[in-house]
Amino acid sequence: MKSKIYLNEISSQTISNILDQFDNNKSIKYISNYFNISTTLISKILKLNNKTIISNRKYDYLRKINFSNLQKEFLVGTLLGDSCLYKDGINYKLSFGHCKAQEEYFKWKVSIMSPFITKFRESVDKRGNSIMLQTTSISHPGFNEFANLFYKDRVKIVPNNLEKYFSPITLAALIQDDGSLNSVNIRLASMGFSKQDNQKLQYYFKKCF
């Protein structure tokens, strides 16, 4: 049971830490348990600091909405590229980030996955030489299918039978995530995949494009 705490008893550092937790997609319930402060007071602190709170009921509603074909095609491209999935409870979440110079592309990715992504944050990267934009979606059963396809023993692979998802959106996301352009051609940085996986990619490109 949480002890009775009033707003004026909470230090500015604790409030800052609460806001950081919220910006890192921690739920109000999680924050409440972490700081041993009631959910009502956590919500009040967030509202006083102009944080938009979306209730878990809305998340439950969103989890019943299926991904569109365009979203699925995009997911395949960005999972072949920089994005990743990780488990949160029984479902997976989508996570990705880009530097500030790629803000337009980052926001395009966020818009593609709307309404399943509700916010993003800025942070200084570990080297301290650039600003990073990062986001994480809500957990959603629709991501589970892609997690089962793309991860084997926690290692990302190129799955079999991706033809049904390959489209210009798939290719656009993959190129913008992991591609580079010179005066002659476009190159894809796919060295993280095995030789066999790269041969699968080659097959998909030839068959679909």
Side-chain angles (χ1 to χ4, degrees):
M1 183 175 179
K2 296 178 176 64
S3 58
K4 188 74 171 179
I5 299 175
Y6 297 94
L7 182 59
N8 60 4
E9 297 175 325
I10 300 175
S11 70
S12 58
Q13 183 59 56
T14 299
I15 290 175
S16 177
N17 291 338
I18 289 170
L19 299 177
D20 286 343
Q21 292 273 18
F22 184 75
D23 287 340
N24 280 283
N25 293 303
K26 301 299 184 184
S27 69
I28 291 175
K29 185 176 180 180
Y30 174 92
I31 297 171
S32 170
N33 290 333
Y34 186 88
F35 292 98
N36 196 33
I37 298 173
S38 71
T39 55
T40 301
L41 188 50
I42 294 293
S43 296
K44 185 174 182 179
I45 291 169
L46 294 173
K47 289 176 181 177
L48 287 172
N49 286 273
N50 300 315
K51 299 294 183 181
T52 302
I53 300 171
I54 299 177
S55 70
N56 286 331
R57 288 182 181 178
K58 182 172 182 179
Y59 285 164
D60 290 340
Y61 169 75
L62 289 174
R63 291 186 185 102
K64 295 177 183 179
I65 300 176
N66 294 325
F67 296 153
S68 68
N69 287 336
L70 184 144
Q71 287 172 327
K72 292 178 180 180
E73 293 164 0
F74 163 78
L75 279 172
V76 168
T78 196
L79 287 172
L80 288 170
D82 287 334
S83 297
C84 63
L85 294 170
Y86 68 89
K87 201 165 191 178
D88 183 16
I90 62 173
N91 297 319
Y92 281 81
K93 291 183 172 184
L94 176 71
S95 179
F96 57 84
H98 293 278
C99 68
K100 187 77 170 178
Q102 297 172 323
E103 183 173 8
E104 184 177 359
Y105 174 54
F106 173 85
K107 289 184 176 179
W108 176 78
K109 291 174 73 171
V110 170
S111 70
I112 286 282
M113 290 310 300
S114 176
F116 307 108
I117 294 177
T118 58
K119 57 182 179 288
F120 62 88
R121 62 190 180 277
E122 293 187 8
S123 62
V124 179
D125 79 350
K126 293 178 181 179
R127 294 166 295 182
N129 59 1
S130 64
I131 302 296
M132 295 298 297
L133 302 171
Q134 297 172 307
T135 191
T136 304
S137 72
I138 66 167
S139 63
H140 192 288
F143 292 123
N144 298 351
E145 172 191 355
F146 293 93
N148 292 332
L149 283 173
F150 276 90
Y151 290 91
K152 183 177 181 181
D153 298 325
R154 298 186 178 183
V155 176
K156 191 190 289 188
I157 62 170
V158 177
N160 297 319
N161 304 316
L162 282 185
E163 298 96 323
K164 64 180 180 178
Y165 294 117
F166 257 68
S167 75
I169 287 291
T170 311
L171 186 59
L174 175 55
I175 288 173
Q176 291 179 102
D177 268 14
D178 271 344
S180 60
L181 175 67
N182 59 32
S183 60
V184 178
N185 54 31
I186 293 173
R187 292 186 177 184
L188 290 173
S190 58
M191 296 82 73
F193 294 123
S194 67
K195 179 179 179 180
Q196 183 180 19
D197 280 349
N198 273 285
Q199 288 171 336
K200 288 182 192 177
L201 275 178
Q202 185 183 51
Y203 165 78
Y204 292 138
F205 292 149
K206 286 183 176 180
K207 182 170 184 179
C208 300
F209 302 112

